[in-house]
Amino acid sequence: MTDLIRTTRAQLGLTGHELGERLGVTAGAVSQMERSEREGRIQLDTLRRALRAMDRQLVVDQAVESPYSRYAPARVTDSVAEALADGDTAFALRLITQAAKMVAQHPEALTDRELNARPSQLSDPRWEQFLRAMYEDALPEDRRPSWTKPQKLPRRWYVSQFDSLRQRARETTPQRLRDLNIYIDERSLSRA
């Protein structure tokens, strides 16, 4: 589902223990809240209380669903987080590249609200920067929200763990990703 508690806590530089002190619970209880939120089992009152302890408020809203809403960044982030939690990096890659392709082909299909609404981030900074880079490339410059600006990874990261694909990535990674220290071969980007 979402990862608001963990993402907010990380943005504020709080440990699970520190948030637990604010809530009057243990660090283990905070970890359990974060897990139940990711799994979509958290109660809204618990989520509100955790966010309120970090001086944030939960805003719940509704919007008309379009055929392209599933490519909205918030939905893709949640789906990728779930795939990564399951250890399915191939599916995570497919989700990101498919979303980027659809957004590039139909940049007007997502509303500004859908593009800007990205409450959680991926816990793995490598995947987070890859997702940002793919959306940045997919969107026309005048539609890019500020969150799409990727940051260069501190060291080279190969999206694939297979030696043959790593070798191909050394030779065929697009320059825009190479500049971010993200290595993935062009064929994997287009096939996924």
Side-chain angles (χ1 to χ4, degrees):
M1 189 167 147
T2 63
D3 204 12
L4 292 171
I5 298 171
R6 187 204 54 81
T7 299
T8 305
R9 188 172 57 74
Q11 288 171 345
L12 296 173
L14 292 173
T15 66
H17 178 75
E18 291 168 329
L19 178 55
E21 284 181 346
R22 291 181 181 195
L23 291 166
V25 300
T26 65
V30 170
S31 178
Q32 187 174 359
M33 278 182 219
E34 291 175 351
R35 186 173 36 260
S36 69
E37 182 188 3
R38 270 192 311 277
E39 294 171 357
R41 298 181 292 107
I42 196 164
Q43 293 184 11
L44 284 179
D45 186 56
T46 302
L47 182 55
R48 278 190 186 104
R49 194 167 58 90
L51 292 172
R52 202 171 24 244
M54 295 182 283
D55 298 321
R56 300 294 190 272
Q57 73 176 29
L58 178 65
V59 177
V60 179
D61 199 359
Q62 57 79 34
V64 174
E65 182 93 7
S66 82
Y68 296 97
S69 293
R70 67 193 232 196
Y71 304 113
R75 297 225 0 224
V76 172
T77 298
D78 293 343
S79 297
V80 170
E82 192 173 312
L84 292 175
D86 291 342
D88 195 345
T89 57
F91 188 53
L93 173 62
R94 215 170 311 124
L95 287 166
I96 293 171
T97 56
Q98 181 65 30
K101 259 186 230 174
M102 293 304 290
V103 169
Q105 291 171 1
H106 308 280
E108 74 293 336
L110 294 175
T111 66
D112 288 340
R113 184 178 188 176
E114 287 175 309
L115 289 174
N116 287 302
R118 187 155 182 262
S120 57
Q121 295 182 19
L122 297 170
S123 59
D124 185 325
R126 301 168 305 177
W127 283 95
E128 174 65 24
Q129 297 313 314
F130 179 58
L131 184 138
R132 289 176 184 219
M134 295 301 289
Y135 269 93
E136 182 182 51
D137 287 347
L139 289 165
E141 195 169 338
D142 63 330
R143 300 250 12 242
R144 291 179 189 154
S146 60
W147 69 261
T148 62
K149 185 73 178 146
Q151 296 176 356
K152 184 176 181 175
L153 296 175
R155 61 182 165 276
R156 191 178 287 189
W157 173 57
Y158 290 91
V159 177
S160 176
Q161 300 304 310
F162 297 107
D163 287 335
S164 61
L165 292 178
R166 284 177 167 223
Q167 180 59 38
R168 196 179 318 150
R170 285 186 196 97
E171 300 163 7
T172 66
T173 294
Q175 189 61 47
R176 70 190 189 285
L177 293 176
R178 190 180 294 265
D179 291 343
L180 296 168
N181 271 338
I182 298 171
Y183 283 75
I184 181 170
D185 65 286
E186 189 66 50
R187 190 182 312 168
S188 292
L189 277 173
S190 63
R191 263 203 245 158

